[in-house]
Amino acid sequence: MKNIFLVLKREYLVRVRKKSFIVMTFLTPILIAAFYGIIVWAAVGSFKSEHKTIQVIDESGLFKDKFKSDKNTTFELISGPVATAQKQLKGKEDNLLVHIPADIMSRPNGLQIYAEKNIGPMLKNRIEKVVQQGLRNIKLSKAGITQQVIEDANQDVDAQTFSLDDEGKSQSSSTMAAYVAGYAAAFLLYIFILVYGAGVMQGVMEEKSNRIIEVIISSVKPFHLMLGKILGVAAVGLTQFVLWGVLTFGVSSATQTLFGFNRFTATEEVMKKQAEQADPEVKKEMEKQQNNTLQTIENFSKSAQSLPLAKIFFCFLFYFLGGYLLYSSLYAAIGASVENQQEAGQFTFPIMLPIIAAIVFAQLAINQPDGSLAFWTSMIPFTSPVVMMARIPFGVPAWEIALSMALLVLGFVGTTWIAARIYRIGILMYGKKVNYKELSKWLFYKG
């Protein structure tokens, strides 16, 4: 046990003292905050576009007063041949030509938009909305139905969801909050297992290729060395994860305090910019949609508080360690068996397949968290860390979580035994290309 701790300590200190670890640990939260800020800035700034002049040839005569100009767009009704108007577009990158044919009522797909360059989807959608709204109003009027009747008939339905505890009492819940929390936790586990598991393999390969391992093995048993290295890298991963969480929260809070900026006000600002560019006739509908979106965001924020955050956090740590230990032991065995990255490729792919399958099963489990597929894949040790974390925010019986954890521990013990048998032989094996047949022989070598 003492030797395992010494190796763990060495692996931990060597890695956390690296400049790359220190720089990336502190730089990553800043980069995330800057990245999000740039996205919002670009989203808001994109609406401050240059002025557009849109000429409209309305051969139907139905849209004379339907196109309304604003500060960024000027609509001009013109007459004459379409071919002549097309020629006048040459050299005018900010001008557009809209052609509404005379038979637009019977042929709504006949609407045509011309530009010297392609136009953005938002402006295209705006023009289509005006024509679509105009055609609909005309048909409704002919049928004796007013627009007010249609608006009154369009009732939004937003169901409230509740979950029942063991005593049968109901409490507010949010399917969307559980979906986001489950997918985020599953995806984080997927990334961390891949990254830090591969890090163990890379570290073993480097020590083997540098012949440092021969010196270490003289004083430490191969199993103790392997386990110490795995636990040391796990400690590094947990340290970095915790620091990222704390620093990200700190940077976000500081940004909001200094600049009065947060994701909700930014989203509202982007939506306001969209509404400003909308045609007055469709602006009301857009504002209604935006209010619904903002209400959904607010409800999501409140509902997220009903999630079992302490339970999610504890299970995340357990499945992070369990999943990492299970896969990293196999990665360590591969690193001990090969001498370079090219040779490792044939062995790493079979290990990556269950991890990739796990994130696919997790997405299916989110849509049906109580299904048989979700249950069994959350019990199999190779997929349970990712799939179970996707299910937990939706509510999983305690006995299922306990069984999944017990099976994961047994899985880790089994893979560690297999990895140790391979590690003790492969770590001192040089100049020989290894295949699966050779690895199977190593499992049964005595001594």
Side-chain angles (χ1 to χ4, degrees), residues 257-297:
T257 302
L258 292 175
F259 302 104
F261 167 85
N262 62 61
R263 58 187 180 277
F264 300 118
T265 56
T267 303
E268 187 174 1
E269 179 67 19
V270 172
M271 290 182 173
K272 286 181 179 179
K273 293 292 183 181
Q274 289 177 330
E276 288 176 1
Q277 290 200 357
D279 188 273
E281 293 198 12
V282 298
K283 186 174 182 180
K284 184 177 180 180
E285 182 180 349
M286 288 188 63
E287 289 178 347
K288 183 179 180 181
Q289 294 176 351
Q290 291 168 3
N291 290 334
N292 291 338
T293 302
L294 293 174
Q295 185 63 41
T296 301
I297 294 175

Side-chain angles (χ1 to χ4, degrees), residues 135-392:
L135 294 177
R136 186 176 68 170
N137 290 342
I138 293 171
K139 291 184 177 182
L140 290 175
S141 298
K142 289 181 177 180
I145 302 174
T146 64
Q147 182 65 25
Q148 186 62 41
V149 173
I150 297 296
E151 292 181 359
D152 293 340
N154 291 330
Q155 297 295 324
D156 295 328
V157 177
D158 185 11
Q160 297 181 354
T161 57
F162 298 88
S163 59
L164 301 177
D165 56 20
D166 296 335
E167 299 178 357
K169 296 181 179 180
S170 63
Q171 59 180 0
S172 178
S173 65
S174 173
T175 301
M176 182 56 66
Y179 179 94
V180 173
Y183 187 82
F187 187 75
L188 282 175
L189 277 178
Y190 167 75
I191 294 297
F192 272 89
I193 289 174
L194 276 180
V195 171
Y196 289 103
V200 171
M201 181 184 71
Q202 193 65 35
V204 173
M205 288 173 55
E206 289 177 358
E207 291 182 350
K208 181 179 179 179
S209 61
N210 295 332
R211 300 299 177 98
I212 298 175
I213 201 70
E214 297 177 0
V215 179
I216 300 176
I217 288 295
S218 62
S219 56
V220 180
K221 292 182 178 180
F223 176 75
H224 294 166
L225 176 62
M226 184 190 75
L227 196 57
K229 183 177 290 292
I230 291 172
L231 294 175
V233 175
V236 173
L238 282 175
T239 300
Q240 196 165 48
F241 176 76
V242 171
L243 288 176
W244 278 345
V246 173
L247 291 173
T248 300
F249 178 78
V251 170
S252 301
S253 300
T255 302
Q256 182 173 340
T257 302
L258 292 175
F259 302 104
F261 167 85
N262 62 61
R263 58 187 180 277
F264 300 118
T265 56
T267 303
E268 187 174 1
E269 179 67 19
V270 172
M271 290 182 173
K272 286 181 179 179
K273 293 292 183 181
Q274 289 177 330
E276 288 176 1
Q277 290 200 357
D279 188 273
E281 293 198 12
V282 298
K283 186 174 182 180
K284 184 177 180 180
E285 182 180 349
M286 288 188 63
E287 289 178 347
K288 183 179 180 181
Q289 294 176 351
Q290 291 168 3
N291 290 334
N292 291 338
T293 302
L294 293 174
Q295 185 63 41
T296 301
I297 294 175
E298 184 178 354
N299 293 339
F300 172 83
S301 179
K302 293 179 180 178
S303 299
Q305 299 175 5
S306 65
L307 294 174
L309 299 179
K311 180 180 180 180
I312 293 174
F313 180 75
F314 169 77
C315 290
F316 181 88
L317 290 180
F318 181 89
Y319 282 107
F320 168 78
L321 289 173
Y324 162 80
L325 293 175
L326 186 145
Y327 279 101
S328 61
S329 61
L330 297 177
Y331 274 114
I334 294 173
S337 305
V338 299
E339 297 182 25
N340 53 62
Q341 194 68 42
Q342 289 73 21
E343 293 180 13
Q346 62 174 320
F347 299 110
T348 55
F349 182 70
I351 294 178
M352 291 176 62
L353 281 178
I355 308 178
I356 297 172
I359 194 64
V360 175
F361 289 140
Q363 296 178 40
L364 298 175
I366 288 175
N367 293 321
Q368 196 173 2
D370 296 325
S372 57
L373 177 65
F375 173 80
W376 289 111
T377 53
S378 61
M379 296 299 153
I380 300 173
F382 288 98
T383 57
S384 63
V386 176
V387 178
M388 183 57 84
M389 281 311 307
R391 293 180 60 202
I392 286 177

Side-chain angles (χ1 to χ4, degrees), residues 43-54:
V44 175
S46 65
F47 297 104
K48 300 177 181 179
S49 56
E50 296 181 0
H51 190 274
K52 293 283 186 182
T53 299
I54 302 177

